[in-house]
Amino acid sequence: RRCCCQKTAATQLVLPEALRLLPLFVLALLKQPLFRHGATPDARAAAMLSAMQQPISALLLHLYPRCYSLKVVLAASTAASEGSEVQAEQPRALRLGEEFVGTDDVLLADDGAQLVLWVRGQPPAELLAACFGVADQGQLEALSSAQLAQAFAAQLGQQEPPSPFAGLVSALAVARLHNTVSVCVVPPASSPDSVFMWDVEDRRSGVTSYKQYLCHIHRRIMTKISEDESAATALAYAHRH
């Protein structure tokens, strides 16, 4: 709302709590192969079949995956271990856009089907060691995606010292109501676009950014209200009461 309208008028759109993320999910849906321009017929058919078979909870994760910075998780775990009174909190999920997702990090995304590890840029050595047990970037690039996934699973099961990421993965498993998930690793030289859409909020493939989309929705609503006097009266009455 801050990006779309500087003044809060009586006709300002206020979405109910249950619909506050609807514009974001609609924009994400428009960027899927199901509706995206240029998608092949096979990809469109597969996207349609997947969307119709998935439960709502899994479909929302597919549209807008939960993505976490493992650099932040590691820093919080280190701070908690150094101070006995410091409690590590559940990390916040990142917004999916270039402005919000940092470089030189390992990002863990849950897209409803699998856990995706994206090694972006050149993460610090201590983060690579905590994730994969490797000492430097060269060792990381020598391993295949399957080997990196096995290495991450081995690090999660490590007890001495315990994995700083085990709590996060356990919380994701609890949200899914099962822990039988596969892990896919996207190495630094690859793009995660084939696995999950990490830049949902950015301008992409001819589809507007999230900010532009909100502005478009707001203009359409204001035009509709200006054309329909009864709608404007009803909305003003709702604000007064």
Side-chain angles (χ1 to χ4, degrees):
R1 188 182 304 167
R2 184 177 64 253
C3 295
C4 299
C5 183
Q6 300 300 323
K7 298 179 181 179
T8 303
T11 55
Q12 172 69 35
L13 174 66
V14 178
L15 287 175
E17 186 69 17
L19 295 177
R20 63 190 179 91
L21 292 178
L22 180 61
L24 182 60
F25 287 128
V26 170
L27 181 65
L29 186 63
L30 292 174
K31 295 185 178 183
Q32 297 294 318
L34 180 58
F35 294 107
R36 194 167 62 219
H37 295 293
T40 64
D42 288 346
R44 200 177 304 281
M48 182 181 298
L49 184 63
S50 175
M52 295 182 66
Q53 289 183 338
Q54 288 179 339
I56 294 298
S57 57
L59 180 60
L60 293 182
L61 277 177
H62 179 70
L63 296 178
Y64 199 98
R66 283 177 296 191
C67 186
Y68 300 89
S69 166
L70 294 191
K71 182 191 291 186
V72 172
V73 175
L74 179 62
S77 175
T78 302
S81 63
E82 292 177 351
S84 58
E85 297 181 359
V86 179
Q87 182 100 17
E89 298 181 356
Q90 182 73 13
R92 284 181 172 270
L94 301 173
R95 292 175 60 179
L96 299 182
E98 187 75 40
E99 181 182 350
F100 313 106
V101 176
T103 57
D104 300 333
D105 200 351
V106 179
L107 304 170
L108 175 65
D110 181 4
D111 69 350
Q114 60 187 346
L115 297 180
V116 182
L117 279 171
W118 180 24
V119 184
R120 191 173 191 215
Q122 295 184 334
E126 59 271 16
L127 180 57
L128 294 179
C131 290
F132 308 106
V134 299
D136 55 41
Q137 192 86 4
Q139 288 182 311
L140 179 79
E141 295 172 352
L143 299 175
S144 66
S145 295
Q147 290 173 322
L148 290 173
Q150 293 174 355
F152 181 72
Q155 290 297 114
L156 286 180
Q158 183 176 297
Q159 298 297 325
E160 293 295 337
S163 169
F165 315 122
L168 173 59
V169 174
S170 297
L172 296 177
V174 169
R176 288 163 164 264
L177 301 179
H178 66 84
N179 59 0
T180 56
V181 294
S182 61
V183 177
C184 172
V185 178
V186 180
S190 302
S191 169
D193 290 344
S194 61
V195 184
F196 78 103
M197 191 172 57
W198 69 272
D199 55 349
V200 173
E201 297 196 28
D202 297 333
R203 184 177 179 86
R204 172 195 173 103
S205 302
V207 183
T208 61
S209 68
Y210 183 46
K211 177 181 175 180
Q212 292 169 327
Y213 186 65
L214 285 178
C215 292
H216 170 71
I217 291 177
H218 188 265
R219 285 194 298 268
R220 292 289 298 271
I221 291 174
M222 296 305 295
T223 301
K224 180 66 176 177
I225 290 175
S226 64
E227 294 173 350
D228 188 346
E229 184 177 349
S230 61
T233 304
L235 192 56
Y237 178 85
H239 275 271
R240 289 196 301 270
H241 296 80

